[in-house]
Amino acid sequence: MAGFVPVDPFDIVIFGGTGDLSRRKLLPALYHRDTDQQLPESSRIISVARSTMSDEENVQWVRQCLIDSLGDDCIEPEVWERFAHRLHYLTIDLTGDDGWAQLAEMVNQERDRIQVYYLATSPGFFGPVATRLGTLGVIHDNSRIVLEKPVGTDLESARAINREVGAVFSEQQTYRIDHYLGKETVQNLMALRFANSLFEPLWQRGAIDHVQITVSEKLGVGTRGDFYDRTGALRDMVQNHMLQLLCLVAMEAPTSLDQNEIRDEKIKVLRALRPISGDDVKRKTVRGQYKAGAVDGETVDAYRNEIGNGEPGKESGKDSGTETFVALKVEIDNWRWADTPFYLRTGKRLPTKCSEIVVQLRPVAHSIFAPDAGSLLPNRLVMRLQPNEGVTLSLMTKEPGPGGFKLRSLPLDLTFAEAFQLRYPDAYERLLVEVIRGNPALFMRRDEVEAAWAWTDQIIQGWETQQVKPEPYMAGTWGPTASAMLLDRDGRDWRDPVDD
Ligand code: NAP
């Protein structure tokens, strides 16, 4: 593993410090970085939420969160003592006036050090909290603000947040998280493309037939029903994670890893996305919503029942027009990708949890083999973000033996866990360190977020004006049949991630 260089002394204030994100991701990420001795002795973690808790109760609560997320044996006495010492808690209702003075007093004790304000709250608080921090007078050149996704719910609300936050924090101080960008395998996509000369000549319409990006979940909406029903799969997954992955696959080579070079190339891709509007809305998009079914042999309820307390199996829950599945055919209007579509699909209650990018090359121009040699399958480069992070490249090979010339597709397999034999750090570990270091390259710039919303808003408007309702699909299947038809019409099919 690359060595750990300690970061400069910092304080992090986590708004929403008792929430799910803090519990499962932020606190464990900071604990791991402390375990590797990357955090300076004096750095503090100040959690803020409405719940009333003393510092001591917060310490016990954090300990339990770490055990729940990382397992019983994660508490190494020496590390835990150091970590517990950093923890502070303040009760503040973000909509009220109480408690802010204590926060100001606390951060001003170490006024000149790096101060990270992490908004692990709903986006409705982003603007007001930034404004409040501005009036408290605690912001200086070493302050940074981190905004969790989603930044807004459409272009207009994203612009309003960006304006309000931008009035207090400069763009350089603003870190809009898309945690996919912190995943090791997403970083590796850059290494694969730009640290190997093998791929670049092939990375274009002449050699690539199409690209597929799948992000699937087995879980349903669980306890996030209210949030999800207002959001849907397009806003929750496509506007951010999936468009970011598409950009990294489709962008031109940046001249360096400088923060703006990469983001300049990604924004060019977003601006080149062909709008999906008019008749294309029905031709190039598929919306779905899961019904009851079985995932991994276990019976699961319909979406409507999960969000609205319906009677199991009867679909008597809340009537909802929210999509839990979306598939899209996306075209990029530039020289590199003309006529090479990108197919995107994501959904809940699908057969497996996986995130992968499949780059399918064009078939060979002419076969010299006899028909009984077997089908000549096009080469596929599969980048798996989870599970079993790695890369496979399928190649046609000759089956060994004297019994005629038989062809078979076999994968060249680079599974990172086997190659590197180490724990894969969670994306939040890397992202938090990048924030503290002041490197926004792995975060979304204001223009990127707004360009992504501008493109997705058109689809949402098309669905509304043309009354495109989600089509039902059985939980445990790969979405509505219209999703298979989307590719079938183009003579293609989705790769089944279970077929490795
Ligand atoms: P959550 O579990 O509902 O937590 C919300 C947090 O905000 C709690 O700490 C809550 O604490 C606090 N809060 C709510 N209203 C408040 C108020 N008026 N004043 C002060 N604190 C308040 O939500 P979450 O899942 O952690 O998600 C937080 C944000 O991150 C959301 O925007 C979500 O979309 C995003 N996100 C979450 C995840 C994830 O894995 N959970 C992943 C990506 C993005 P009190 O109730 O004690 O006040």
Side-chain angles (χ1 to χ4, degrees):
M1 162 122 34
F4 298 113
V5 179
V7 295
D8 290 337
F10 70 95
D11 285 342
I12 182 168
V13 179
I14 306 178
F15 294 99
T18 57
D20 179 71
L21 183 69
S22 303
R23 207 171 58 230
R24 289 190 310 107
K25 295 291 180 182
L26 304 181
L27 293 165
L30 288 164
Y31 186 70
H32 270 307
R33 292 303 86 233
D34 209 2
T35 306
D36 290 328
Q37 303 197 329
Q38 214 171 359
L39 309 189
E41 199 73 35
S42 62
S43 287
R44 297 178 297 174
I45 300 167
I46 305 165
S47 298
V48 172
R50 278 172 310 187
S51 310
T52 315
M53 249 199 292
S54 65
D55 274 348
E56 293 69 36
E57 285 167 331
N58 178 48
V59 167
Q60 287 318 311
W61 180 82
V62 171
R63 184 185 165 96
Q64 193 54 49
C65 293
L66 295 178
I67 292 173
D68 293 345
S69 291
L70 308 175
D72 285 333
D73 52 359
C74 73
I75 303 290
E76 292 172 34
E78 194 187 324
V79 181
W80 169 246
E81 199 186 320
R82 194 166 64 224
F83 193 72
H85 211 67
R86 305 181 186 287
L87 299 172
H88 301 268
Y89 183 82
L90 284 177
T91 301
I92 304 181
D93 182 338
L94 302 179
T95 60
D97 293 327
D98 295 342
W100 295 99
Q102 285 104 297
L103 177 64
E105 193 185 329
M106 196 174 249
V107 293
N108 281 337
Q109 287 163 4
E110 299 290 348
R111 184 167 169 82
D112 296 331
R113 69 167 48 160
I114 296 164
Q115 281 164 354
V116 177
Y117 296 97
Y118 198 118
L119 273 77
T121 65
S122 67
F125 289 121
F126 294 174
V129 170
T131 308
R132 175 74 74 160
L133 293 170
T135 31
L136 282 182
V138 291
I139 306 307
H140 51 73
D141 287 353
N142 262 342
S143 309
R144 317 160 178 3
I145 191 165
V146 184
L147 307 179
E148 251 308 329
K149 81 141 238 237
V151 177
T153 50
D154 55 15
L155 177 59
E156 201 185 322
S157 56
R159 277 189 176 145
I161 290 172
N162 285 334
R163 239 189 339 262
E164 246 181 305
V165 172
V168 182
F169 292 88
S170 68
E171 185 58 29
Q172 181 72 21
Q173 292 175 299
T174 306
Y175 294 74
R176 297 175 193 82
I177 283 225
D178 184 326
H179 70 269
Y180 267 52
L181 295 179
K183 284 179 184 281
E184 287 288 333
T185 33
V186 174
Q187 297 285 300
N188 230 316
L189 176 55
M190 303 274 287
L192 194 75
R193 280 196 65 189
F194 303 123
N196 295 290
S197 57
L198 176 65
F199 295 111
E200 189 48 29
L202 302 176
W203 214 260
Q204 41 82 23
R205 61 189 297 267
I208 294 178
D209 179 71
H210 72 278
V211 176
Q212 301 180 9
I213 304 179
T214 295
V215 177
S216 64
E217 290 178 73
K218 283 200 273 194
L219 293 176
V221 287
T223 53
R224 292 173 77 221
D226 271 356
F227 162 79
Y228 197 86
D229 203 46
R230 280 180 274 118
T231 308
L234 187 74
R235 287 188 175 99
D236 192 37
M237 297 301 293
V238 176
Q239 184 272 343
N240 35 71
H241 305 319
M242 299 191 79
L243 285 185
Q244 286 293 318
L245 294 180
L246 177 147
C247 285
L248 291 174
V249 175
M251 72 183 186
E252 298 298 316
T255 49
S256 74
L257 286 183
D258 176 82
Q259 45 163 302
N260 277 322
E261 297 287 346
I262 298 172
R263 298 192 296 179
D264 285 345
E265 294 307 333
K266 286 195 292 169
I267 187 94
K268 286 185 204 160
V269 176
L270 290 169
R271 289 187 183 136
L273 295 180
R274 189 178 302 171
I276 300 184
S277 57
D279 291 348
D280 280 347
V281 171
K282 287 191 175 149
R283 264 205 308 262
K284 295 183 182 168
T285 76
V286 177
R287 295 181 87 192
Q289 189 186 87
Y290 59 84
K291 290 153 54 100
V295 179
D296 279 348
E298 208 176 291
T299 307
V300 294
D301 213 346
Y303 172 73
R304 288 179 48 173
N305 282 6
E306 281 189 355
I307 60 163
N309 301 319
E311 207 177 321
K314 291 218 167 145
E315 307 235 354
S316 52
K318 182 176 163 192
D319 192 10
S320 166
T322 301
E323 77 285 352
T324 60
F325 175 95
V326 63
L328 304 174
K329 176 179 178 180
V330 182
E331 285 147 302
I332 303 174
D333 287 328
N334 64 18
W335 277 60
R336 190 183 280 265
W337 297 113
D339 304 326
T340 298
F342 283 57
Y343 298 97
L344 273 44
R345 71 175 162 171
T346 182
K348 291 189 175 292
R349 291 289 190 223
L350 301 184
T352 189
K353 177 176 170 66
C354 101
S355 303
E356 67 171 31
I357 300 168
V358 180
V359 177
Q360 176 151 329
L361 280 88
R362 295 198 183 275
V364 291
H366 164 72
S367 173
I368 60 169
F369 303 100
D372 68 354
S375 317
L376 278 180
L377 301 178
N379 304 120
R380 273 178 170 172
L381 177 69
V382 179
M383 290 164 273
R384 293 187 309 269
L385 313 186
Q386 63 178 21
N388 306 326
E389 292 90 341
V391 177
T392 54
L393 174 64
S394 69
L395 293 176
M396 293 306 296
T397 49
K398 180 190 171 299
E399 277 185 18
F405 209 108
K406 297 284 181 203
L407 295 166
R408 184 134 60 103
S409 173
L410 284 182
L412 275 180
D413 190 342
L414 175 63
T415 299
F416 296 150
E418 283 168 22
F420 295 109
Q421 311 248 314
L422 46 81
R423 175 185 81 83
Y424 255 63
D426 188 77
Y428 280 93
E429 293 179 48
R430 165 180 281 268
L431 293 173
L432 282 165
V433 167
E434 296 292 318
V435 173
I436 297 163
R437 289 200 199 291
N439 177 14
L442 298 182
F443 298 80
M444 289 184 293
R445 216 167 48 188
R446 177 179 187 153
D447 51 358
E448 279 183 81
V449 171
E450 293 181 6
W453 274 124
W455 187 78
T456 39
D457 272 3
Q458 280 198 325
I459 299 175
I460 295 166
Q461 279 154 18
W463 284 346
E464 277 165 14
T465 51
Q466 299 181 43
Q467 300 186 350
V468 180
K469 303 274 177 249
E471 296 174 42
Y473 64 95
M474 251 176 37
T477 67
W478 281 106
T481 42
S483 167
M485 297 300 295
L486 182 74
L487 271 71
D488 189 65
R489 276 200 297 276
D490 295 343
R492 299 175 173 123
D493 53 11
W494 291 106
R495 183 187 113 90
D496 186 341
V498 184
D499 294 345
D500 265 327

